[in-house]
Amino acid sequence: MNRSTSENDSLESGARAPAPRHVAIIMDGNGRWARARGLPRLAGHREGAVAVRRAVEAAARLGIRTLTLFAFSGDNWKRPPDEVAGLLVLFRRYLAAETPALVRRRVRLSVMGRRDRLPAPLRRAVSAAERATAGGRGLHLRIAIDYSGRDAILGASRRGPARSRAGFARRLGLASGGGAASDVDLLIRTGGEHRLSDFLLWESAYAELTFASVMWPDFTPEHLETAVSDFRRRERRFGGLSKRAAS
Ligand code: FPP
């Protein structure tokens, strides 16, 4: 990974930024993982669900406060109907199977995105999981299903003019259903692609980006630790100057 001069500056001075509070992941590569093994795409998604479980545990261990996972975009409805149906069933099963462990680990789960196009059993599973985990004071896990960053911004702006960025951000959290969350600190995309795909467009304005070539089903806690460790070596300037340039 190439490092900029300012990143080298902060490396030389030994400065370590705090761990990211909010990590967002675009979980890409399930299909290619399956194809490489001669398996149907859904097998890749199923293995992807196992990687989700690992990532949630690792995020909590690393002290990450919010983990937002992109599971299904508003544009993913364009996929073949059997893949879409399989994914929706997988989400429902994941929620039913994982809720007890989430409660035990004090994880609060919320689902972002449109609910009106989801099948009723999935909608019920989402509500049940959100209710059961509402008291969780550990990691806030947000799963984006039928989510579009542009539509979320549009939905928030339809609620009337906002007086401040912070006010708009709160409204965005409400409009997209994920609940209030801080801006994204670290955005990871697996699968070797380099794009945002309409994910958290407002919230990622100053996110540090990490693109990993690993396919999502092969994503391990070590990959997350490496991304966090790399993040902590970066100097975030938010449009200002590096410490060295300012002194
Ligand atoms: C993108 O990879 C992945 C998706 C559209 C689905 C993500 C779903 C999971 C990780 C399944 C489990 C999720 C939860 C929340 C239980 P792709 O299929 O586009 O991969 P490709 O680019 O290799 O074809």
Side-chain angles (χ1 to χ4, degrees):
M1 207 170 291
N2 291 333
R3 289 204 175 93
S4 68
T5 310
S6 63
E7 284 156 3
N8 286 327
D9 289 351
S10 76
L11 271 179
E12 280 160 20
S13 66
R16 297 279 283 170
R21 284 176 61 78
H22 185 172
V23 175
I25 310 184
I26 301 175
M27 308 180 288
D28 195 12
N30 294 347
R32 278 165 288 162
W33 182 92
R35 198 175 55 219
R37 288 159 181 78
L39 298 169
R41 293 179 59 80
L42 266 175
H45 295 314
R46 274 195 290 273
E47 202 57 31
V50 178
V52 166
R53 187 179 307 135
R54 284 196 302 262
V56 170
E57 286 170 18
R61 221 173 32 245
L62 290 168
I64 292 164
R65 299 300 305 156
T66 305
L67 177 68
T68 307
L69 301 177
F70 204 6
F72 192 86
S73 79
D75 288 321
N76 284 151
W77 294 106
K78 295 175 193 159
R79 293 190 176 209
D82 58 337
E83 179 173 353
V84 170
L87 274 168
L88 298 176
V89 168
L90 186 61
F91 299 148
R92 176 166 57 77
R93 292 195 178 140
Y94 170 86
L95 292 171
E98 289 302 307
T99 295
L102 296 177
V103 171
R104 253 193 334 272
R105 295 203 187 91
R106 298 169 49 248
V107 174
R108 175 161 68 97
L109 174 111
S110 22
V111 171
M112 313 170 67
R114 286 180 65 165
R115 304 238 171 142
D116 58 308
R117 298 193 286 195
L118 303 181
L122 176 55
R123 272 206 306 273
R124 282 196 293 273
V126 167
S127 303
E130 286 180 333
R131 257 197 320 275
T133 62
R137 293 292 171 263
L139 176 73
H140 183 192
L141 170 62
R142 306 193 312 164
I143 300 183
I145 300 178
D146 196 5
Y147 171 85
S148 150
R150 285 178 165 179
D151 286 350
I153 293 170
L154 208 55
S157 54
R158 282 204 189 103
R159 294 178 173 217
R163 286 209 200 98
S164 64
R165 287 177 177 177
F168 188 76
R170 270 195 298 279
R171 198 175 284 179
L172 194 58
L174 289 176
S176 55
S182 56
D183 276 356
V184 175
D185 296 305
L186 171 61
L187 175 68
I188 302 170
R189 181 175 188 134
T190 61
E193 306 286 358
H194 298 74
R195 38 173 190 267
L196 291 179
S197 301
D198 201 11
F199 189 41
L200 300 175
L201 299 179
W202 170 282
E203 299 89 329
S204 298
Y206 278 102
E208 296 292 327
L209 309 180
T210 290
F211 298 101
S213 53
V214 62
M215 299 296 139
W216 175 251
D218 288 331
F219 191 83
T220 61
E222 288 71 37
H223 289 108
L224 185 59
E225 279 158 27
T226 302
V228 166
S229 180
D230 182 48
F231 169 90
R232 295 190 62 198
R233 279 194 292 265
R234 300 187 194 183
E235 188 188 22
R236 303 183 77 195
R237 297 200 294 273
F238 298 98
L241 295 180
S242 71
K243 283 192 194 106
R244 175 172 286 191
S247 65

